[in-house]
Amino acid sequence: MDHLAKEWRPEEVAPEEGQRRDAEAVLKGSVVNILGKFGRLSKSLYYVVITRFVGAEVFGLYTLGWSLIDLVSKFGLFGLDRGIVRFVSQHHSDGDVEGAHRTIGQALALTLVFSLLVTAAVWVVAPWASGSVFHQPDLSPVLRILALSIPFLVVSSILLAALKAVRIMKFDVYVKSIAEPLVLLMTAVALCALGWTVPGLAFAYLIAAAAGLLFATLCFGRIFSPSRCVSGMAGASLRSPIVAFSAPLPLDDALYILMSRLGLFVLAMFLPAASVGIYAATSEAAGAVKTIRQAVDPIFTPVASGLVHKKEKERLSVLFASVTRWILTLELAFLLSVGLWGRSILSVFGPAFTAGFWSLALLTLGHTVSGAFGSAETLLLMAGRSGLNLLNTVLLLFFNLGLSLFLIPAYGISGAALATAVSLALISLLRVVEVGILLGLHPFRRSLLKPLIAAGLAFFVGLSLLQLRSPWSTLSLLSLPLYLGLLGAFGVEEEDRKLLEKLRHKIPFLRRPPQLRVAS
C-alpha cells in the first residue's frame, strides 16, 4: 500500500480551480451514490413484498423492533464513523498514510468493544422493554435476534467510512445499495415462504448484516492495508483525539433517530400494532426522499472537512450554496409526486395503507426541508462543533416529544407525522442560523427560488388536472416534465452548466445532454 503515500501527496491549486474541483468531486460522488440508490430499490421491494406476506400488524411489530435496534446501535458505533471521515480525510489532505491506518485501527478496536456491550445490554433488557414499555411480549425474541446484527453493522460502517474519507463512494454503493438489500430481500422471502414471519424477518436482517460486513471487508482491503489497521488497534485509547471528537455523537445520533421515529414509539404505546404498521409504511415511503441528501453527504463531508481544515472559507461558501440548491431541486420533484399521487404510492403496500396519505405528505415535507438544509449539520461537525449539534438535538427532541404527546391522541398517525415534520424542519433551520453565526456561511442565493417557483406551478397544474374525470386526470403525470421544463426555462446556473459539461464524457447518461440556457 506504499503507493498511497504518492497518491495522497497534497497539491497546491489556484482558488478558482479549487472551487471547480470541490464541486466536481461532490457532483461525481453524488451521481455514483444516486445510481447506487437505485440498487436499494430491492429494499423498497422488500417492504412491499413483506407487507403483502405478513400484513400491517406483523410488519408494525418487526419495524418497531428494527427501529429500536437502529437506535441503540448508535452507541455501539459511538460516532466513530464520522470521526473516521473527519480525521482520515485530514490525513488524506496531508498525505499521512500511516496516520490514516492508525486512526482506522483505533476506531475498529473501540467499536468492537462498544458494539458487544450494547448487544449484551439488549439481550438483558429486551423482555422488560417488550412487556412493560410497549406491551408487546412477542417483541422480545425479535429484539434479541436483531441485536446480534449490531457488531456486523458498526464494523462495516467504520470500514466504509474510511473509504468515503478518501472520496471513494463506489464501495459504499456496492455494499449498502446492492449487496445488503438483495440478501435481505431474498432471505426474507425464503423464510416467510417457509412459514416464519416475525422471527424470519429478524433472521433475514441478521444474515444481511453479516453479508454486508463480508463485502465491506473485501472492498476495504482493495484500498487500505488491513495489517496496518490491526497494528493501529493496539494504540486505541479513550483519550485519543478521535474519541474526544466522537464522544458527543452517539448520544446525538441516537437522539436524532429517537426524534425522527418518536412518532412510531409513541404510537406503539397508544395505538394497536396495525396503526404502527401503517405509520411505518408511510415513514418508509417518505424516507425515500432522504436518499438524495444521503447520496450527497458521503462525498460532501470529506470535501468540507478538508476545506475547514485548510480554512478555505470562500470555496466552502460556494460549495455549501451549490449543494443546497442541488438537493432542494431533486427533493421538490419527489415532494411533487407525493402530493399528487401519494395514495397510489401507498396502495402498493396494500389497501389498508392508503389511510396514511396525510402522514406520508407531512413526513415528506419535513424530510424535504431537513434534507435541503441538512448540510449545515455536516459543517458544524466538521468545524468541531459536535457538542453544539448534540444540544440542538436534545432541544428538538423535547419539542417533538411534547408535540407528539399532544397530537397523537387526537389525530393518530397524522398527528405523529406533523410533530416529526415540524421538528425536523426546525432543527435544520436552527443549524443554518448557527452556521451563519459561527462560520459566516449561508446557503441562500436567488437561484433557490427557481426550483420553488417551478414546483409550485407544476403542483397547481397537476392538482387541477386530477380534478378532471378519467382518462383526462392521467394528464397530471405531465406535472413532473412540466417541473423540469420550467427549471430549464428559468436557466441553469453557470457553475452547474460547466460541471455538467465537464462530466458528460465521464458519465454515460450525461454524454449528450440537451442545450442548457445559462441563467442571466
Side-chain angles (χ1 to χ4, degrees):
M1 300 294 171
D2 290 336
H3 66 280
L4 288 177
K6 181 178 180 181
E7 293 178 3
W8 288 14
R9 188 174 298 140
E11 179 184 1
E12 296 294 332
V13 296
E16 290 187 2
E17 174 64 13
Q19 291 178 13
R20 185 195 64 79
R21 290 189 182 187
D22 297 336
E24 182 179 343
V26 172
L27 186 57
K28 286 173 63 178
S30 301
V31 169
V32 171
N33 287 332
I34 288 173
L35 292 176
K37 298 304 176 182
F38 286 102
R40 289 195 181 186
L41 288 176
S42 58
K43 185 177 180 181
S44 300
L45 181 60
Y46 163 76
Y47 284 113
V48 171
V49 171
I50 292 310
T51 52
R52 293 285 183 172
F53 260 107
V54 302
E57 184 173 354
V58 172
F59 180 67
L61 191 65
Y62 164 74
T63 305
L64 178 60
W66 172 82
S67 298
L68 289 169
I69 293 301
D70 189 35
L71 174 66
V72 299
S73 69
K74 301 306 177 186
F75 294 97
L77 188 56
F78 203 72
L80 289 167
D81 56 334
R82 284 189 277 179
I84 282 287
V85 171
R86 183 174 192 250
F87 286 93
V88 173
S89 64
Q90 291 178 3
H91 289 311
H92 179 244
S93 297
D94 296 337
D96 184 4
V97 178
E98 283 302 322
H101 283 88
R102 184 172 57 253
T103 300
I104 296 169
Q106 293 172 356
L108 286 171
L110 292 169
T111 51
L112 278 172
V113 174
F114 295 149
S115 63
L116 291 173
L117 290 174
V118 171
T119 300
V122 172
W123 269 72
V124 172
V125 174
W128 170 80
S130 301
S132 301
V133 178
F134 296 103
H135 311 293
Q136 301 280 353
D138 293 338
L139 182 62
S140 180
V142 176
L143 288 175
R144 285 181 163 179
I145 296 170
L146 290 173
L148 297 175
S149 67
I150 293 176
F152 300 112
L153 294 172
V154 300
V155 173
S156 63
S157 294
I158 293 296
L159 299 179
L160 294 173
L163 294 167
K164 295 174 188 175
V166 295
R167 305 186 185 186
I168 300 176
M169 299 295 108
K170 62 181 180 180
F171 294 129
D172 184 71
V173 170
Y174 296 160
V175 176
K176 294 297 183 181
S177 299
I178 299 176
E180 278 190 13
L182 286 175
V183 172
L184 178 63
L185 174 63
M186 292 186 294
T187 309
V189 169
L191 292 176
C192 285
L194 292 174
W196 285 24
T197 53
V198 177
L201 297 179
F203 273 115
Y205 187 81
L206 173 60
I207 293 170
L213 176 57
L214 174 62
F215 286 115
T217 303
L218 294 174
C219 295
F220 178 82
R222 296 185 61 180
I223 304 300
F224 293 94
S225 170
S227 61
R228 290 186 182 182
C229 293
V230 171
S231 299
M233 292 175 113
S237 170
L238 294 177
R239 296 182 179 180
S240 61
I242 191 172
V243 173
F245 168 79
S246 302
L249 297 181
L251 183 57
D252 177 54
D253 289 341
L255 289 174
Y256 184 82
I257 290 178
L258 181 59
M259 184 187 70
S260 61
R261 295 177 186 162
L262 191 62
L264 181 73
F265 298 141
V266 177
L267 278 171
M269 291 187 283
F270 285 99
L271 299 178
S275 296
V276 176
I278 294 174
Y279 182 80
T282 63
S283 182
E284 177 63 26
V289 73
K290 294 189 295 184
T291 60
I292 297 170
R293 181 191 166 192
Q294 290 168 355
V296 176
D297 248 13
I299 187 63
F300 174 72
T301 300
V303 174
S305 177
L307 294 177
V308 170
H309 181 58
K310 295 179 179 179
K311 297 181 172 57
E312 296 275 4
K313 181 177 177 180
E314 182 61 30
R315 288 171 60 179
L316 192 59
S317 177
V318 172
L319 185 62
F320 185 26
S322 296
V323 165
T324 300
R325 183 174 65 253
W326 299 341
I327 295 175
L328 180 63
T329 299
L330 295 174
E331 285 184 334
L332 286 174
F334 189 91
L335 180 61
L336 176 63
S337 301
V338 166
L340 294 176
W341 312 297
R343 287 187 175 84
S344 299
I345 294 172
L346 289 175
S347 67
V348 175
F349 294 97
F353 290 88
T354 57
F357 168 74
W358 283 108
S359 172
L360 173 63
L362 290 168
L363 286 173
T364 304
L365 179 60
H367 286 309
T368 297
V369 176
S370 176
F373 300 104
S375 297
E377 177 187 10
T378 301
L379 292 177
L380 286 176
L381 290 174
M382 294 305 103
R385 302 283 185 165
S386 52
L388 176 60
N389 202 49
L390 173 61
L391 178 61
N392 291 338
T393 308
V394 170
L395 292 175
L396 266 295
L397 173 65
F398 283 106
F399 179 81
N400 191 9
L401 177 61
L403 206 54
S404 296
L405 292 174
F406 175 72
L407 293 174
I408 287 175
Y411 301 102
I413 61 176
S414 296
L418 179 60
T420 299
V422 171
S423 300
L424 288 173
L426 285 179
I427 195 171
S428 299
L429 296 176
L430 175 61
R431 285 169 176 151
V432 169
V433 172
E434 290 169 346
V435 167
I437 295 173
L438 296 174
L439 302 180
L441 305 174
H442 69 83
F444 301 108
R445 305 288 190 275
R446 290 178 59 186
S447 56
L448 278 182
L449 294 175
K450 296 178 182 179
L452 289 170
I453 295 172
L457 292 173
F459 179 75
F460 175 77
V461 171
L463 193 62
S464 300
L465 291 171
L466 278 177
Q467 310 307 313
L468 302 176
R469 294 182 179 180
S470 183
W472 299 107
S473 59
T474 57
L475 291 174
S476 64
L477 294 173
L478 296 175
S479 299
L480 279 177
L482 175 61
Y483 172 61
L484 298 176
L486 288 171
L487 287 175
F490 292 157
V492 177
E493 299 306 304
E494 173 68 15
E495 57 267 32
D496 294 349
R497 185 191 64 80
K498 288 180 178 179
L499 282 173
L500 291 175
E501 290 292 332
K502 179 74 176 178
L503 294 176
R504 66 174 182 170
H505 297 297
K506 300 179 181 180
I507 302 173
F509 64 80
L510 292 177
R511 283 177 181 166
R512 292 185 178 180
Q515 293 296 319
L516 301 174
R517 185 173 68 83
V518 179
S520 56

